[in-house]
Amino acid sequence: MTTPAASTRPTGKDVARAAGVSQAAVSLVLADKWHGRVSPDTAQRVRDAAHRLGYRPNVAARNLRLGTTRTALLVVPALTNDFFARVYTGAADIAAQHDFGVVVYPSPTGIGPAKDPFSSARSALDGVIASSMAATSLTAIRGAALPLVMLDSDPDDPLPATHVNLALAEGMRQVAHHLTALGHRHILHLAADIDSWTFAVRARALAAALRTTPGTHLRTAPTPLTVHGALNTTLHALDTTGPRPTALVCDDDLIAAGACKAARRLGLHIPQDLSITGFDDLTLATALEPELTTVHLPAEQVGERGMQALLALLDGHTPRTDPLPTTLVVRDSTAPPPD
């Protein structure tokens, strides 16, 4: 039995010769499609021969033959927010199980139109997953040729192939019911000043939930989605005339962190003087003192479901569309209002 020269990369033909089988059998075994086509003994002979020869399939050549790259693009507004980092982790875990790769692309314009990061995304990718932006923002990347899975975005938008969403409204309803049950009636909503579906849903759900409790007053203050921006917005909002709110509902944990800083600067104690809630349950939520009552969003599951949806589309199947659950995590930043 001969083996290829040390300086020559072994080929599938070499493996077939060493195992005493056809090249077709080698392809079936190494693609794990041999069940019912070749015997287990033959499959093991092929694997042993490939290992002995140090054979590695030429993935690039295989993908070129199949017209696929086995690569997905994940577009996010930013990676500085660990929600999106966890979304990537979930997507990459599922992708790895299916011999796929995930390229993460933080859009330079945030939720605005995203530029094509390749000379031609349609020739470099098999599909696009995008989080927390409008599907129209992806036109330059996908054109009309690539399947698109949208995460945390408007489910009524017909442009994407499918959506993966969270039960955001239910999360905000839990916040409202928690605060009203504690006795809060004057509530300030620190709303992210970003024109996107995800924040519009939160605002509508909060207002609707508070309307069910008589005597409740809701005021809204738009704020940048940054700690510093929320600090300034909160200082201004709490310095206005009229009844001071006893609870602040924040669209994001970063906003809540800025609100906490503002409260301390004004000499207010949390939660004795002022209750504060967040949204997302970032790592930051337990780094604050007191720890933040917030809505937990299963970010890794969002990424997992997004990648599973893309794989289903590529296989001609219908993905799941039921929303992922959200849960209020009650910590020490909320309490009954002061007398």
Side-chain angles (χ1 to χ4, degrees), residues 21 29 55 87 90 94 123 129 154 190 212 230 246 272 275-276 290 297 299 313 326:
V21 300
V29 172
Y55 172 73
V87 168
I94 296 299
S123 64
I129 306 169
D154 187 353
L190 291 171
T212 64
T246 61
Q272 294 87 347
S275 288
I276 297 178
L297 304 184
L313 290 169
T326 56

Side-chain angles (χ1 to χ4, degrees), residues 178-214:
H178 172 65
L179 292 175
T180 54
L182 288 172
H184 293 278
R185 295 297 181 267
H186 291 276
I187 295 170
L188 174 66
H189 179 201
L190 291 171
D193 63 355
I194 297 173
D195 182 17
S196 71
W197 173 86
T198 186
F199 293 118
V201 167
R202 300 173 204 203
R204 289 195 300 267
L206 178 63
L210 291 178
R211 281 196 295 269
T212 64
T213 301

Side-chain angles (χ1 to χ4, degrees), residues 9-289:
R9 177 174 178 168
T11 66
K13 185 182 292 186
D14 297 321
V15 176
R17 186 182 302 115
V21 300
S22 67
Q23 282 186 255
V26 170
S27 297
L28 288 171
V29 172
L30 296 183
D32 199 27
K33 296 180 179 178
W34 62 271
H35 301 277
R37 300 184 182 185
V38 302
S39 69
D41 287 344
T42 298
Q44 189 58 50
R45 256 197 348 268
V46 170
R47 287 192 291 266
D48 290 343
H51 179 72
R52 187 168 63 252
L53 295 174
Y55 172 73
R56 295 289 183 274
N58 188 329
V59 177
R62 180 195 67 185
N63 290 343
L64 187 61
R65 285 197 312 273
L66 298 176
T68 179
T69 65
R70 302 195 74 77
T71 303
L73 182 71
L74 173 63
V75 186
V76 297
L79 279 179
T80 51
N81 185 315
D82 74 85
F83 174 83
F84 297 118
R86 287 187 282 147
V87 168
Y88 167 75
T89 298
D93 284 347
I94 296 299
Q97 297 172 25
H98 293 82
D99 194 26
F100 253 74
V102 177
V103 177
V104 64
Y105 176 49
S107 172
T109 55
I111 66 168
K115 301 175 182 177
D116 189 340
F118 306 97
S119 58
S120 173
R122 288 182 291 280
S123 64
L125 303 168
D126 283 339
V128 178
I129 306 169
S131 181
S132 309
M133 57 181 64
T136 52
S137 300
L138 285 304
T139 302
I141 294 177
R142 63 175 292 273
L146 291 173
L148 172 63
V149 177
M150 294 300 301
L151 316 178
D152 188 28
S153 65
D154 187 353
D156 294 328
D157 186 343
L159 183 59
T162 192
H163 296 82
V164 175
N165 276 321
L166 296 140
L168 298 173
E170 173 57 25
M172 196 56 95
R173 281 192 289 269
Q174 292 177 47
V175 170
H177 294 157
H178 172 65
L179 292 175
T180 54
L182 288 172
H184 293 278
R185 295 297 181 267
H186 291 276
I187 295 170
L188 174 66
H189 179 201
L190 291 171
D193 63 355
I194 297 173
D195 182 17
S196 71
W197 173 86
T198 186
F199 293 118
V201 167
R202 300 173 204 203
R204 289 195 300 267
L206 178 63
L210 291 178
R211 281 196 295 269
T212 64
T213 301
T216 300
H217 302 277
L218 174 65
R219 185 157 56 95
T220 300
T223 180
L225 210 167
T226 63
V227 173
H228 183 70
L231 164 65
N232 290 332
T233 300
T234 306
L235 288 173
H236 177 74
L238 295 180
D239 194 37
T240 57
T241 58
R244 173 174 282 177
T246 61
L248 307 184
V249 176
C250 303
D251 267 350
D252 184 275
D253 292 348
L254 289 173
I255 295 175
C260 289
K261 292 186 71 171
R264 290 195 190 89
R265 190 168 295 184
L266 293 171
L268 300 173
H269 296 90
I270 305 169
Q272 294 87 347
D273 301 318
L274 185 67
S275 288
I276 297 178
T277 67
F279 214 96
D280 281 358
D281 199 18
L282 306 178
T283 304
L284 176 65
T286 53
L288 295 172
E289 186 60 45

